[in-house]
Amino acid sequence: MHKNKRIVVVGAGFGGIELVKKLNKKQFDILLIDRNNYHNFQPLLYQVATGGLEPDSIAYPVRRIFRKYEHISFKMAEVKQVDVDNGILETSIGNITFDYLVVATGSMTNFFNFDAVKDAMFNLKSIPDALNLRSFLFQNLEKAFAKKEKAKLEEMINVAIVGGGPAGIELAGALAEMKKYMLPKDFPGLDLTKMHINLYEAAPKLLSAMSDEASVKALDFLKQLGVNVFLDAKVSNYDGKVVQLGDGTTFLTDTLVWAAGVKGAPIEGLSQDFITKGNRIKVNEFNQILGTKNCFAIGDVAAYESEKNPKGLPMLAPVAQQQGSLLAKNLQKLVSGKEMSSFSYKNKGVMATIGRNRAVVDLPHYKFQGVFAWFVWMFVHIFSLVGFRNKSIAFIDWFSNYLNYDRPLGLIIRPYHKKILKEHKIEGNLFPKKLPSLLHK
Amino acid sequence: MHKNKRIVVVGAGFGGIELVKKLNKKQFDILLIDRNNYHNFQPLLYQVATGGLEPDSIAYPVRRIFRKYEHISFKMAEVKQVDVDNGILETSIGNITFDYLVVATGSMTNFFNFDAVKDAMFNLKSIPDALNLRSFLFQNLEKAFAKKEKAKLEEMINVAIVGGGPAGIELAGALAEMKKYMLPKDFPGLDLTKMHINLYEAAPKLLSAMSDEASVKALDFLKQLGVNVFLDAKVSNYDGKVVQLGDGTTFLTDTLVWAAGVKGAPIEGLSQDFITKGNRIKVNEFNQILGTKNCFAIGDVAAYESEKNPKGLPMLAPVAQQQGSLLAKNLQKLVSGKEMSSFSYKNKGVMATIGRNRAVVDLPHYKFQGVFAWFVWMFVHIFSLVGFRNKSIAFIDWFSNYLNYDRPLGLIIRPYHKKILKEHKIEGNLFPKKLPSLLHK
């Protein structure tokens, strides 16, 4: 009997899940691995950080997704490295052999020159990241309310966000709404006029991957909500307490959220020749890793540098999903000796929300902002969640949030304490002269 | 102007919340403090541990409960000690003065002679406890499924529960249902015949605080679900891997849940003369701490040793709530120079559930078990949850659990690793000859 081809897919993100679902065919023996036992809906992490949603609304056990898929199995494991030549993946649960390997490991935060001070900052790439930020924000509010800390009130309740992409503006909007509607009810007497939410963007406009209309309107919405937006603003230093800007100004805060960039998160063992700008893996038009026959990469971690897209495609969920979907077909073609089809990205639109009734949507031929955009954003996100339970609970939370101008919960389940930096003074302008823009229009 | 009397209440459990709500009167200035910023519904912690409910369904921010209560403020703080004579409470947010103090700090796990090995065990007194147990259970299932661990399959998937009170039997029932309905779907091919759930009870019957009918039926229900129940069974040793019983038998498991007892969790600074059996604070019929005029204790931490109840009242939520409610009236009487009323407990019934359609209910004049008891249990618990959101989501989760024979989620958000015991051999019979029974019939 002919042995089934063994396909190993690393990463249960948008790309990996889509690929594996479509690949569920009898000629394959498919193994999906991920370091977590859940798929997590990254675009809504800022909602978890601000108590708008609970983790269980944006995460879903991978096993549940594939319960009825006969040819797919899932294992929770950490990848150590790949041996491409021998078709072996070394993992925390032992060596796994493959006929075909798909790397769908996504991206991670890029701290650029701020790597040395990253422990003093927050970022939003995982559910624990989001929960740590939430605990820290609410712990500081409790401390400020108790008025027994030596630290200044401003230091405890100010928030700095670095990066004016979707992650940065969505977080800033949610925090501004919290400050406006929820905190006066929960912390009566706390002097919220001392609380500033500062958003720093190094470029001259917000949302550089979106239209000018969206950028301008997003800025307008943030200002309406009371966020202080600084454009052309380069952070030059952060010691855990004081943010220093390139122009010499400073801002006092315990809480700096780094949303200024991501980079690919490739697995170890691939030749450095395959790694390109932004730490992404070089692939061809079939998402085949250059220099290999049986290894592929899709999603954020993959870069197909073509004339049309010299920097590769944007790091967005729909790109990963479309690549996963096509790769499923291409792998079937490959094993039956047919020619594979080239990938081409169908842009179905990009959107971002700044808070209740305030969102910006760029469709390929139509742009709109405001209340309707917000409803579109909300429904698209609810329907994109995995599982009926997640959809229902996110709907309940957002609907009650909408009616009550409130965030449902702010439980400090596991208190979080930032690591104290050993040296509070770091010299020099740590920010790169020019931020590599991984997104394109 | 007459200065308001300052009442400080420590602990936002069932007793503290009830007291403070009823005490919201203009002659008082009330401060409630708790180490957490949420109230947590302890009777359902086993549901969180087994993925039947999420933490946000059984926890509710204390601030939200009291948003509209004018004379109450809440602060998150850890109590260091009390100076009764000078009316000062030392806390993590500084010294707090009081005219009246109410200690409502509840209970904690009593490991008895097993204190030395408690890091190798699990217990269920807080939300982090429940989440740790959940993560550990699911991590072990993932490891067992990956079949790459050196440890024996049985060691990874067996579970031992020590204690046949409500906490023990409810957890055992939930685990047995997980094993029967959910695990075969999520871990196809895992040899679940090797998974044993053993429940050890030192007394000759389960649920010693309930009727004989309830005990017998609970045993029957557990057997139906495949739980191995051992009565008159004394655990003599546990080294993190092997449970040793008094009769010389052993049981191999990584996961031992200690549900064999609780003790009071009084605050520091009270004279040892006020502390009685079970680490509880001695109070009189007005819940006044003996030897003091202005300090009170209610709930699990308080013991009024009367002729009728020589061991004090049972450690149950209704006792704490009734004491809180009466104390609110008594404090008003006290400040207006009237005589206080004595507490007397109105038993409204006790119940426990062993799983879907299987519960036992003892009302004062009527006892019943089975399907109807389960529905009563479910509705009483849903309606006891704080907040509309919690009620709705618990209802959705249980309703879908009921229809699908499934548990909604098992996300390993923060992996948990037990501390390895330095010495795996501990000599002697560690279990006390006679377990102090804090509950009475």
Side-chain angles (χ1 to χ4, degrees):
Chain A
M1 201 186 121
H2 182 73
K3 204 174 148 272
N4 284 347
K5 290 288 178 193
R6 184 166 175 79
I7 302 180
V8 176
V9 179
V10 184
F14 291 111
I17 296 274
E18 187 71 20
L19 165 69
V20 167
K21 270 187 182 171
K22 297 264 165 78
L23 207 52
N24 183 41
K25 298 284 181 310
K26 68 175 188 299
Q27 71 265 46
F28 296 124
D29 171 11
I30 304 156
L31 175 65
L32 175 63
I33 64 181
D34 196 285
R35 72 174 80 172
N36 292 315
N37 75 338
Y38 53 85
H39 164 74
N40 111 48
F41 194 84
Q42 288 198 23
L44 291 174
L45 284 170
Y46 80 97
Q47 286 273 355
V48 173
T50 53
L53 289 178
E54 286 297 313
D56 55 303
S57 293
I58 68 158
Y60 196 83
V62 182
R63 307 204 160 283
R64 296 291 167 97
I65 304 176
F66 298 110
R67 266 187 181 173
K68 287 176 186 161
Y69 289 70
E70 214 179 324
H71 308 286
I72 300 170
S73 71
F74 170 74
K75 283 185 180 161
M76 190 172 101
E78 195 104 33
V79 169
K80 289 177 183 163
Q81 66 171 25
V82 60
D83 175 349
V84 174
D85 296 336
N86 296 304
I88 295 170
L89 192 68
E90 293 169 33
T91 78
S92 57
I93 56 167
N95 287 356
I96 295 168
T97 56
F98 59 83
D99 294 310
Y100 297 99
L101 175 74
V102 182
V103 182
T105 43
S107 57
M108 57 190 185
T109 301
N110 191 347
F111 288 99
F112 300 104
N113 297 347
F114 283 79
D115 220 54
V117 291
K118 71 173 185 224
D119 284 344
M121 299 174 169
F122 291 87
N123 71 108
L124 275 178
K125 281 298 282 180
S126 70
I127 289 180
D129 288 344
L131 291 173
N132 287 345
L133 175 56
R134 180 204 287 195
S135 289
F136 196 75
L137 287 167
F138 282 95
Q139 278 164 242
N140 268 349
L141 285 163
E142 291 290 345
K143 279 185 196 165
F145 189 66
K147 293 186 189 87
K148 288 285 175 187
E149 283 288 309
K150 280 174 197 158
K152 280 196 177 168
L153 184 64
E154 289 90 333
E155 186 183 325
M156 287 186 277
I157 61 179
N158 281 344
V159 181
I161 297 163
V162 183
I169 69 158
E170 293 186 336
L171 179 65
L175 288 170
E177 285 199 328
M178 241 175 81
K179 177 188 162 187
K180 195 168 171 182
Y181 300 117
M182 181 189 124
L183 300 187
K185 284 187 262 183
D186 275 349
F187 298 91
L190 183 64
D191 183 3
L192 291 168
T193 62
K194 295 260 170 69
M195 180 181 188
H196 299 286
I197 299 160
N198 284 11
L199 176 71
Y200 300 104
E201 167 56 50
K205 61 174 242 178
L206 297 174
L207 293 173
S208 57
M210 289 185 74
S211 66
D212 283 340
E213 290 94 316
S215 298
V216 169
K217 205 68 195 175
L219 179 61
D220 192 31
F221 286 152
L222 285 170
K223 282 181 178 169
Q224 284 172 22
L225 283 168
V227 175
N228 308 312
V229 181
F230 299 86
L231 299 175
D232 284 316
K234 287 186 178 111
V235 174
S236 64
N237 201 356
Y238 183 60
D239 64 2
K241 285 186 178 181
V242 179
V243 189
Q244 287 189 7
L245 279 298
D247 65 3
T249 57
T250 58
F251 180 58
L252 189 65
T253 182
D254 260 0
T255 317
L256 183 149
V257 186
W258 185 262
V262 289
K263 59 182 178 184
I267 58 179
E268 296 289 311
L270 292 173
S271 153
Q272 278 303 311
D273 302 345
F274 307 154
I275 307 295
T276 183
K277 279 189 292 291
N279 211 30
R280 297 165 93 186
I281 304 170
K282 284 189 200 175
V283 295
N284 64 17
E285 68 272 33
F286 312 118
N287 281 93
Q288 209 162 17
I289 297 178
L290 297 191
T292 75
K293 285 269 172 244
N294 59 342
C295 296
F296 297 81
I298 58 173
D300 287 5
V301 77
Y304 171 47
E305 297 166 332
S306 64
E307 218 162 282
K308 201 174 145 202
N309 298 305
K311 289 171 181 171
L313 283 164
M315 290 162 125
L316 293 172
V319 175
Q321 286 169 323
Q322 291 176 25
Q323 289 178 340
S325 182
L326 183 72
L327 185 55
K329 286 180 200 149
N330 277 339
L331 284 167
Q332 285 169 263
K333 288 181 179 171
L334 194 63
V335 296
S336 30
K338 290 182 198 151
E339 213 166 293
M340 296 193 285
S341 319
S342 300
F343 179 74
S344 96
Y345 172 50
K346 280 154 219 71
N347 176 15
K348 290 186 178 161
V350 190
M351 54 179 85
T353 183
I354 298 95
R356 197 174 180 278
N357 285 346
R358 293 180 178 95
V360 293
V361 177
D362 284 359
L363 297 183
H365 304 290
Y366 183 50
K367 299 168 191 18
F368 55 104
Q369 301 90 29
V371 180
F372 180 64
W374 186 82
F375 276 96
V376 169
W377 176 89
M378 189 184 69
F379 283 104
V380 165
H381 280 78
I382 283 179
F383 285 106
S384 307
L385 289 171
V386 179
F388 178 73
R389 180 181 181 278
N390 288 5
K391 288 183 176 69
S392 333
I393 293 174
F395 182 76
I396 292 176
D397 282 344
W398 282 344
F399 190 67
S400 95
N401 188 338
Y402 192 80
L403 293 181
N404 306 324
Y405 289 81
D406 212 344
R407 316 232 118 213
L409 293 164
L411 309 171
I412 308 173
I413 302 265
R414 296 185 194 258
Y416 179 75
H417 304 283
K418 281 201 310 188
K419 282 186 196 144
I420 306 289
L421 290 177
K422 274 186 195 148
E423 302 205 349
H424 280 279
K425 185 74 193 152
I426 291 140
E427 295 296 336
N429 186 323
L430 291 169
F431 216 75
K433 287 280 180 289
K434 195 179 174 317
L435 277 177
S437 169
L438 297 169
L439 299 176
H440 73 133
K441 278 186 221 179
Chain B
M1 202 185 119
H2 183 72
K3 206 176 145 272
N4 284 347
K5 289 290 180 193
R6 185 167 174 79
I7 302 180
V8 177
V9 180
V10 185
F14 291 111
I17 296 274
E18 187 72 19
L19 164 70
V20 167
K21 270 188 181 170
K22 297 264 165 78
L23 207 52
N24 183 42
K25 297 285 179 319
K26 67 176 188 300
Q27 70 265 45
F28 296 124
D29 171 11
I30 304 155
L31 175 65
L32 175 63
I33 63 181
D34 196 286
R35 72 174 79 171
N36 291 315
N37 75 338
Y38 53 85
H39 164 74
N40 110 48
F41 195 85
Q42 288 196 23
L44 291 174
L45 283 171
Y46 80 96
Q47 286 274 354
V48 173
T50 53
L53 289 177
E54 287 297 312
D56 54 302
S57 293
I58 68 158
Y60 197 83
V62 182
R63 305 205 162 282
R64 297 291 168 96
I65 303 175
F66 298 111
R67 266 188 181 171
K68 288 175 185 161
Y69 289 69
E70 215 179 325
H71 308 286
I72 300 170
S73 69
F74 169 74
K75 283 185 180 162
M76 190 172 101
E78 196 104 31
V79 169
K80 289 175 184 165
Q81 66 170 25
V82 61
D83 174 351
V84 174
D85 295 336
N86 296 304
I88 295 171
L89 192 68
E90 293 170 33
T91 78
S92 56
I93 57 167
N95 286 356
I96 295 167
T97 56
F98 59 82
D99 294 310
Y100 298 100
L101 176 74
V102 183
V103 183
T105 43
S107 57
M108 57 190 185
T109 301
N110 192 347
F111 288 98
F112 300 104
N113 297 348
F114 283 79
D115 219 54
V117 291
K118 70 172 184 223
D119 284 343
M121 299 173 167
F122 291 87
N123 71 109
L124 276 178
K125 281 298 281 181
S126 71
I127 289 181
D129 287 345
L131 290 174
N132 287 344
L133 176 56
R134 181 204 287 194
S135 289
F136 195 76
L137 287 167
F138 281 94
Q139 280 164 240
N140 268 349
L141 285 164
E142 291 290 344
K143 280 185 197 166
F145 189 66
K147 294 184 188 90
K148 288 286 176 183
E149 283 288 309
K150 280 174 198 159
K152 280 196 179 171
L153 184 65
E154 290 89 332
E155 185 183 325
M156 288 187 276
I157 60 179
N158 280 344
V159 181
I161 297 163
V162 183
I169 68 155
E170 293 185 337
L171 179 65
L175 288 170
E177 285 199 330
M178 242 174 80
K179 178 188 163 189
K180 195 167 171 182
Y181 300 118
M182 181 188 124
L183 300 187
K185 284 187 262 183
D186 276 347
F187 298 91
L190 183 64
D191 184 4
L192 292 167
T193 61
K194 295 261 170 68
M195 180 179 187
H196 299 285
I197 299 160
N198 284 11
L199 176 71
Y200 301 103
E201 167 58 49
K205 62 174 239 177
L206 296 173
L207 293 174
S208 58
M210 290 185 72
S211 66
D212 283 341
E213 290 93 317
S215 299
V216 168
K217 203 69 196 175
L219 180 61
D220 192 31
F221 286 152
L222 285 170
K223 283 182 178 167
Q224 283 171 23
L225 283 168
V227 174
N228 309 312
V229 180
F230 299 85
L231 299 174
D232 285 315
K234 288 190 178 107
V235 173
S236 64
N237 200 355
Y238 182 59
D239 64 3
K241 285 186 178 182
V242 179
V243 189
Q244 286 189 9
L245 279 297
D247 65 4
T249 57
T250 60
F251 180 57
L252 189 66
T253 182
D254 260 0
T255 316
L256 182 149
V257 185
W258 185 263
V262 288
K263 59 182 179 185
I267 59 179
E268 296 290 312
L270 294 173
S271 154
Q272 279 303 312
D273 301 345
F274 307 154
I275 307 295
T276 183
K277 278 189 292 290
N279 210 30
R280 297 166 94 186
I281 304 170
K282 283 188 199 175
V283 295
N284 64 17
E285 68 273 34
F286 313 118
N287 281 94
Q288 211 161 18
I289 298 178
L290 297 190
T292 75
K293 284 270 172 241
N294 59 342
C295 296
F296 297 81
I298 57 173
D300 287 5
V301 77
Y304 172 46
E305 297 166 333
S306 63
E307 218 163 281
K308 201 174 144 204
N309 298 304
K311 290 173 180 170
L313 284 163
M315 290 163 125
L316 293 172
V319 175
Q321 286 169 324
Q322 291 175 26
Q323 289 178 338
S325 182
L326 182 73
L327 183 56
K329 286 181 200 148
N330 277 340
L331 284 167
Q332 284 168 263
K333 289 182 177 170
L334 194 64
V335 295
S336 32
K338 291 180 197 153
E339 214 165 293
M340 296 193 285
S341 319
S342 300
F343 179 75
S344 97
Y345 172 51
K346 280 152 218 74
N347 176 15
K348 291 186 178 161
V350 191
M351 53 179 88
T353 182
I354 299 93
R356 196 175 179 279
N357 286 344
R358 293 180 177 95
V360 293
V361 177
D362 283 0
L363 297 183
H365 304 290
Y366 183 51
K367 299 171 192 14
F368 55 104
Q369 301 89 28
V371 180
F372 180 65
W374 186 82
F375 275 97
V376 168
W377 175 90
M378 190 184 68
F379 283 104
V380 165
H381 279 78
I382 283 179
F383 285 106
S384 307
L385 288 171
V386 179
F388 178 73
R389 181 182 181 278
N390 287 5
K391 288 184 175 70
S392 332
I393 293 175
F395 181 75
I396 291 176
D397 282 344
W398 282 344
F399 190 67
S400 93
N401 188 338
Y402 192 80
L403 292 182
N404 307 324
Y405 288 83
D406 211 344
R407 318 231 116 214
L409 292 164
L411 308 172
I412 308 173
I413 303 265
R414 296 184 194 257
Y416 180 76
H417 304 282
K418 281 200 311 189
K419 284 187 195 142
I420 306 290
L421 290 178
K422 274 185 195 149
E423 301 204 351
H424 281 281
K425 186 74 192 151
I426 292 142
E427 296 295 335
N429 186 324
L430 291 169
F431 216 76
K433 288 280 179 288
K434 195 178 173 318
L435 276 178
S437 170
L438 297 169
L439 300 175
H440 74 133
K441 280 185 219 177

